[in-house]
Amino acid sequence: MQFRSTRSLGLKSAGLRSADTATVSFKDAILNCLPANGGLYVPDSVVDMRQYILYMDSATSYPELVATVAPALLQGELNPFSAARVAESAFDFEPQLKQLDDTLSVLTLCNGPTGVFKDYGIAFLAAVMEELLGSTSRAMILSAARGDTGVSIAHAFSRRRGMVPVIIYPSGPVRGLDPNVISIQITGAFDDCQRLIVEAINDRPFAERYGITSGNAINPGRLLPQVFYYFYAFIKLKKILTGELVFSVPSGNFGNLIAGLYAWKMGMPVNGFIAAMNANNAFGDYVKGKEFKPGKLIQTNSPAMDVSVPSNYERLASFYAEAPAVMRHMVYPDAIDDQATLAAMEEAWKSYGILLDPHSAVAFAAARRMSRTAGFNGHVVVLATGHPAKYAELVAQTTGQQVPIPAAFTNLWKRTDPMATISPELDALEGAIASCL
Ligand SMILES: *Cc1c(COP(=O)(O)O)cnc(C)c1O
C-alpha cells in the first residue's frame, strides 16, 4: 500500500514537482510521518478486502484477523510470517463485542494496557515498526502527550528493540511515566507540543540524524490498524444482521471515524457512521455542507473529545473532496451535551447492566437517538473507547456502582518528574534531546 500527502490530490495533472506527487511505502510513511509538501499521509488507493471480511467466520481471534488482513493490506511489505509475529506481540488484549439486543451492540476497545482505544493503533504501530526496522536500525519516537496517550505510547514503544520514545508534556502534572522513556516538559500548552513535533520532523537533517518519527495520530501507522477492529465487529455480527449496520463513534480528532470510513472503502458492508461529538461539534456543520469554522474550545465531561481543530481535519477534508455527496450519506453528525452524557451513563446501566465512561456514553446517547429515528431499522454498534474506572466518580454518581480499578491503572496515575523542562522552542527541544540521550 502506497501513501500520499493530503495535499497531493490532483497535483499530478497540474504538472507540479515530483516531490508533490510522490507516493511512499508504508515503511517510509510510518518512519517519516510527515510528507515533504505538508499535509498528512493517507493511503493512495484502497485495497478491496471483501474476500477476507466476507468469508472469515466469527470464531476468528483478533490476532488471527490481523495476521490475515495486514499482509493483504500492505501488499508485499509485510509477509504472512512477519504479520503473525506482529499480531501476536502487539495484541495480548482483544476487542469484545457484546450484543445488548436486536438493535444495539457495544464494541469494547478500552481493555488494552492503558484503558483507551488508542492502545490498539499504538500497539500495532510499535510492533510493526520493530519488525520493519530490522535489527540494525534505530528510531526515535517523538510524541506529544495528553491524558493517558503519553503513557500508552511509552508503554508500547519502550519494550521494542531499537526504539527510543521521547514524550513531550505541556505544563502541569506529569503522570505514569515509564523510566525507559525520555520525558521533556515544555512551559506551554499541548498545541505547542504538537507544533514542536512537526517542526522537529521538518528539520530534516536533525530528524535524519536521530531517525525521528512520531507516535501521535499524525502517523498513518496508527490509523491503518484501527480498521482491524471494525472488521472484527463485522465478522462477529454478520450472522445476526438483518437490516442496516451503523457504527457510533465518539469523536474528537476523528482518527477513529476515518478508520471506519477506510474499512467501508475496503469493502466492509456498512450503512453509516455516527460522528458522536460533545459540545465541541463544529464538524457537524461541515458535514452538512458548510465551511469548516472551528468553534471556541469548550471543556466537557468527555475531555478526550474536547477538540476545536481536529488534527485529522486534512484527512477528513480529502475524503469529502473526493465524493462530498457520498460522504454526506455515510456520516451522521450528532452532539451530546454533558447532561445527556450523564443520562446515557445511567440508561446504559439501568437498561443493559453495562458501565460506560463518558466518551463511550456520548456515542451511546447518539446511538439511542438514531434507533428512535423514524424509518431506521438497523443495528448500531457503539464503540466504547474509554475505561469506566478512569471516571469512577461519574460512574458512581450516575449508576450508584463502584467500578473496580485495575491494578495497572494506579501506576498510570503516579506522579513523575520529567527529565528536562524547557521553553516551547525548537532549539531548546533539540538541545534537550541531545543531552538526554
Ligand atoms: C482519543 C479519544 C477519543 C476521540 O478519538 P478520535 O479518534 O480523536 O476522534 C474518544 N474517546 C476516548 C476515550 C479517547 O481517548
Side-chain angles (χ1 to χ4, degrees):
M1 177 180 266
Q2 294 285 301
F3 287 76
R4 64 166 168 81
S5 163
T6 45
R7 297 193 187 165
S8 295
L9 246 194
L11 294 184
K12 237 175 218 154
S13 52
L16 287 161
R17 284 181 300 125
S18 61
D20 284 340
T21 56
T23 61
V24 299
S25 66
F26 176 70
K27 182 179 173 184
D28 286 343
I30 64 173
L31 288 177
N32 288 323
C33 204
L34 290 175
N37 68 344
L40 294 173
Y41 278 121
V42 286
D44 186 43
S45 58
V46 282
V47 188
D48 185 347
M49 300 301 291
R50 274 176 299 185
Q51 56 172 317
Y52 303 98
I53 315 161
L54 298 178
Y55 302 110
M56 253 185 279
D57 71 48
S58 62
T60 312
S61 74
Y62 196 64
E64 277 169 352
L65 180 144
V66 173
T68 309
V69 168
L73 267 184
L74 297 178
Q75 295 168 323
E77 280 200 71
L78 194 69
N79 69 50
F81 304 107
S82 295
R85 240 183 340 260
V86 168
E88 286 296 333
S89 87
F91 298 115
D92 51 2
F93 50 100
E94 59 176 65
Q96 277 154 13
L97 186 90
K98 192 171 182 190
Q99 193 186 342
L100 302 180
D101 62 24
D102 288 345
T103 63
L104 195 65
S105 292
V106 171
L107 180 68
T108 300
L109 299 171
C110 56
N111 50 358
T114 66
V116 283
F117 81 99
K118 296 178 179 77
D119 285 335
Y120 281 85
I122 291 168
F124 182 84
L125 174 62
V128 81
M129 215 184 253
E130 181 180 55
E131 185 74 27
L132 294 180
L133 260 184
S135 54
T136 52
S137 308
R138 294 174 68 77
M140 180 179 280
I141 322 299
L142 203 56
S143 312
R146 176 161 64 176
D148 296 332
T149 313
V151 186
S152 181
I153 291 172
H155 177 90
F157 285 96
S158 59
R159 57 201 186 94
R160 299 284 167 192
R161 186 187 57 214
M163 292 187 205
V164 185
V166 178
I167 313 272
I168 316 216
Y169 288 85
S171 299
V174 173
R175 291 186 200 282
L177 259 194
D178 203 291
N180 296 322
V181 310
I182 295 176
S183 51
I184 298 173
Q185 184 161 45
I186 60 153
T187 51
F190 181 69
D191 285 349
D192 296 310
C193 301
Q194 287 188 301
R195 170 181 56 81
L196 282 174
I197 283 166
V198 171
E199 286 178 13
I201 294 173
N202 284 332
D203 179 353
R204 301 280 158 169
F206 179 77
E208 258 166 49
R209 181 153 72 242
Y210 294 104
I212 292 181
T213 187
S214 177
N216 289 120
I218 52 175
N219 196 318
R222 265 183 63 178
L223 199 61
L224 203 64
Q226 290 183 251
V227 304
F228 302 148
Y229 53 70
Y230 285 96
F231 292 164
Y232 188 74
F234 176 77
I235 65 168
K236 296 281 159 186
L237 270 175
K238 64 183 178 185
K239 276 213 185 97
I240 64 118
L241 289 176
T242 52
E244 293 178 21
L245 171 65
V246 170
F247 286 88
S248 185
V249 188
S251 296
N253 278 313
F254 294 97
N256 209 355
L257 184 83
I258 290 172
L261 291 169
Y262 277 118
W264 161 63
K265 285 208 156 186
M266 290 168 189
M268 182 180 78
V270 55
N271 301 83
F273 297 88
I274 303 173
M277 291 166 281
N278 61 26
N280 296 284
N281 62 353
F283 176 68
D285 288 337
Y286 175 73
V287 175
K288 290 174 197 142
K290 296 188 190 142
E291 197 186 325
F292 178 69
K293 277 219 190 84
K296 198 166 158 282
L297 191 70
I298 301 166
Q299 291 201 342
T300 72
N301 58 17
S302 45
M305 289 148 59
D306 292 350
V307 176
S308 144
V309 183
S311 59
N312 279 302
Y313 173 71
E314 286 215 21
R315 288 190 175 119
L316 271 172
S318 81
F319 263 111
Y320 279 82
E322 277 169 37
V326 178
M327 294 306 301
R328 279 182 194 114
H329 283 104
M330 274 320 276
V331 179
Y332 316 112
D334 200 357
I336 305 296
D337 67 19
D338 275 1
Q339 216 183 340
T341 303
L342 297 179
M345 290 170 75
E346 183 179 348
E347 189 199 341
W349 171 251
K350 284 202 175 138
S351 305
Y352 299 107
I354 53 166
L355 299 177
L356 295 178
D357 93 311
H359 305 85
S360 315
V362 165
F364 180 89
R368 298 316 281 156
R369 184 132 74 195
M370 166 80 77
S371 294
R372 287 194 301 265
T373 310
F376 179 77
N377 118 51
H379 195 90
V380 188
V381 179
V382 172
L383 302 194
T385 51
H387 201 290
K390 294 188 173 169
Y391 294 86
E393 261 175 50
L394 283 185
V395 172
Q397 181 194 321
T398 51
T399 67
Q401 300 302 303
Q402 298 300 325
V403 214
I405 314 268
F409 288 4
T410 48
N411 277 332
L412 302 182
W413 294 327
K414 272 202 197 112
R415 272 191 81 146
T416 33
D417 287 325
M419 284 185 182
T421 303
I422 58 165
S423 61
E425 278 135 33
L426 183 62
D427 283 352
L429 177 66
E430 293 185 351
I433 287 173
S435 67
C436 286
L437 278 176

